[in-house]
Amino acid sequence: RSTLFPYTTLFRSLDILRTAFFALRGNWMRSALTSLGVIIGIAAVIVMVSIGQGTQAEIDKMVSGLGSQRLDIGGAGGMGPGGARMAQGSRWSLTGGDVEAIRNEVPTAQYASGSLRGNTQVVFAENNASTSWQGVEADWFAINDWKVARGDGFSANDYGGSAKPVILGETVRKTLFGEEDPIGQTVRLGRVPFTVVGVLGAKGQGGFGQDQDDMVVVPLETARRRLSNSQSMPPGAVQAISVGVDDAKNLASAQAEIEALLRQRHKIEPGAEDDFAVRNISQIVATRTATTNLMSKLLGAVAGICLVIGGIGIMNIMLVSVTERIREIGLRMAVGAGPGDVQRQFLAEAMLISLIGGVIGIAIGVVGALVVGKLGDLPVELNAKVVMLAAAFSVGTGLFFGYYPARKASQLDPIEALRSQ
């Protein structure tokens, strides 16, 4: 008997499912409409969760590209002609002395680099590329986690200003040289010849959608003397300062120390507006993460409401089905079916409706997520966990909302049920 028990249970389960399938097929239109709520809910769960995970992955990518332990300092906007306010960074308020002061007087500042930037035409033989240039100091590479993939990069003497070396981004290298080795070649930035001493390792697209490899890097003093003549900047000025902090926990305290130091150096009176602006990357990322989490919760709530509506539809139809099949329930009990058998039968029907709707909803959700990612310009990340979660929601919906009608059917009195017309 113990050997036959698993087979008996299996045959009984298959018989219950077969009976449930034929019961639903008898009124297939009503069953299809009932499962529509589950289909919409499951599809919504997959699409919303995929968008949320994709957005979080995009934020992680942005953090890795920008660096989670850095502060960026730019010049604040000044007052232009006629009292019009100028854009941030339009006033030359930062200097190389500020960089040195931060490096020497802020204990948690592990790295500090001033920088200049601009746009130029880079030419090699008959090839040319319109790109941006960055004039940097030695710490800039560590702050931005840039590695030199080819060549030796800048030497200590290159930062003195007399040499004219350049490091190419991977996009610029491909445009100018293709498969040819660029190291030691001479390129022109505008009208000034530079010698290629290195190629940066490829980083690809950044967190804000820009091509991080479409640029060239030169020493700061070289950029000041050779490339920034048209910008009419004061001697020793820099456009921005990047600071690498020794620990992400010290970002807030480092920011406060840097702001106090710069206010002192720039002789800004108490209550007066700063002539610089400090940007904390971690605060930007935290704000974006919080916004994304809030949107994910809202989208998840919408998907959950769809599932609840679908579940209520299943409960409603199953209650109607119990009312319509009272005499059938009485006949089942009269020929030996127990309350448990009746309960399992109706519960199987509810779960079958939900399961079929879940399978269709998963298919629609996967296709919908791919379409949204392709046409909607939204980051989407599909994985097996999302599909398994949707399948679990589907089965759980049928089980939860089908239990009450199934239990009600099992509690009917057989004699009263047989008398029902």
Side-chain angles (χ1 to χ4, degrees):
R1 182 178 178 183
S2 60
T3 305
L4 295 176
F5 178 73
Y7 297 101
T8 304
T9 304
L10 177 62
F11 291 146
R12 181 178 294 179
S13 300
L14 292 175
D15 185 59
I16 290 174
L17 288 175
R18 181 178 61 82
T19 305
F21 176 77
F22 281 111
L24 295 177
R25 194 179 69 171
N27 200 334
W28 66 270
M29 180 61 75
R30 185 171 70 181
S31 301
L33 293 174
T34 302
S35 65
L36 189 60
V38 177
I39 293 173
I40 296 173
I42 294 299
V45 166
I46 292 178
V47 173
M48 303 309 181
V49 172
S50 298
I51 292 175
Q53 290 187 341
T55 304
Q56 189 59 50
E58 194 74 11
I59 291 175
D60 294 340
K61 182 179 178 182
M62 183 183 72
V63 172
S64 63
L66 295 177
S68 59
Q69 297 176 208
R70 63 178 288 173
L71 298 168
D72 287 323
I73 308 165
M79 301 302 291
R85 186 169 184 81
M86 301 170 68
Q88 181 173 314
S90 58
R91 189 166 57 175
W92 297 97
S93 58
L94 301 173
T95 66
D98 294 331
V99 180
E100 286 298 319
I102 292 172
R103 188 180 289 128
N104 297 328
E105 299 182 35
V106 179
T108 54
Q110 188 175 14
Y111 304 104
S113 171
S115 64
L116 295 170
R117 58 186 177 273
N119 298 313
T120 189
Q121 197 78 10
V122 186
V123 180
F124 174 74
E126 70 277 5
N127 299 325
N128 67 87
S130 179
T131 187
S132 61
W133 57 264
Q134 289 260 17
V136 303
E137 295 180 286
D139 285 354
W140 180 88
F141 293 93
I143 295 170
N144 292 275
D145 194 26
W146 276 108
K147 308 294 183 184
V148 178
R150 298 192 193 183
D152 298 326
F154 300 141
S155 66
N157 294 330
D158 290 335
Y159 292 101
S162 58
K164 292 180 289 185
V166 63
I167 299 176
L168 306 180
E170 180 62 17
T171 299
V172 179
R173 183 203 66 78
K174 287 181 180 179
T175 303
L176 296 183
F177 294 94
E179 299 303 319
E180 185 180 350
D181 185 8
I183 306 301
Q185 301 284 1
T186 299
V187 299
R188 284 190 293 110
L189 273 62
R191 298 181 180 180
V192 183
F194 281 77
T195 302
V196 179
V197 297
V199 178
L200 292 172
K203 279 196 175 183
Q205 190 177 37
F208 296 103
Q210 79 282 11
D211 182 2
Q212 298 182 91
D213 304 316
D214 186 12
M215 69 169 181
V216 298
V217 181
V218 299
L220 177 61
E221 193 59 34
T222 301
R224 183 179 287 120
R225 296 182 183 183
R226 305 288 182 175
L227 301 177
S228 301
N229 295 333
S230 61
Q231 298 189 24
S232 302
M233 63 178 179
V238 296
Q239 284 176 307
I241 301 173
S242 299
V243 179
V245 179
D246 57 0
D247 193 313
K249 297 178 182 177
N250 296 327
L251 277 170
S253 60
Q255 180 176 351
E257 290 180 32
I258 290 171
E259 289 174 346
L261 176 62
L262 292 181
R263 286 182 64 88
Q264 178 186 359
R265 286 183 53 83
H266 297 185
K267 296 180 173 57
I268 299 174
E269 297 293 333
E273 185 178 2
D274 292 341
D275 61 356
F276 60 90
V278 180
R279 186 178 66 170
N280 189 331
I281 298 298
S282 66
Q283 292 176 351
I284 298 174
V285 173
T287 301
R288 186 167 176 178
T289 301
T291 303
T292 302
N293 290 339
L294 178 60
M295 290 302 299
S296 297
K297 290 177 182 178
L298 291 175
L299 295 175
V302 172
I305 291 171
C306 292
L307 277 176
V308 170
I309 292 173
I312 292 173
I314 291 175
M315 180 184 288
N316 181 51
I317 292 301
M318 294 308 300
L319 287 172
V320 172
S321 180
V322 169
T323 303
E324 292 176 344
R325 296 159 62 186
I326 289 179
R327 188 172 180 81
E328 175 192 329
I329 296 170
L331 287 172
R332 285 178 179 272
M333 290 182 171
V335 297
D341 296 320
V342 175
Q343 182 173 338
R344 282 191 291 271
Q345 180 63 51
F346 280 88
L347 196 58
E349 292 180 19
M351 292 185 65
L352 193 58
I353 291 176
S354 182
L355 189 59
I356 293 173
V359 171
I360 298 173
I362 288 172
I364 294 175
V366 170
V367 174
L370 295 176
V371 170
V372 168
K374 196 76 174 178
L375 303 180
D377 196 25
L378 289 172
V380 173
E381 186 174 289
L382 269 173
N383 57 48
K385 290 183 179 179
V386 176
V387 177
M388 292 174 62
L389 178 66
F393 270 126
S394 172
V395 175
T397 300
L399 183 64
F400 181 80
F401 288 96
Y403 177 77
Y404 175 72
R407 183 168 178 79
K408 184 177 180 181
S410 69
Q411 292 177 337
L412 289 175
D413 183 85
I415 298 176
E416 294 297 329
L418 286 171
R419 289 176 179 175
S420 176
Q421 296 297 323

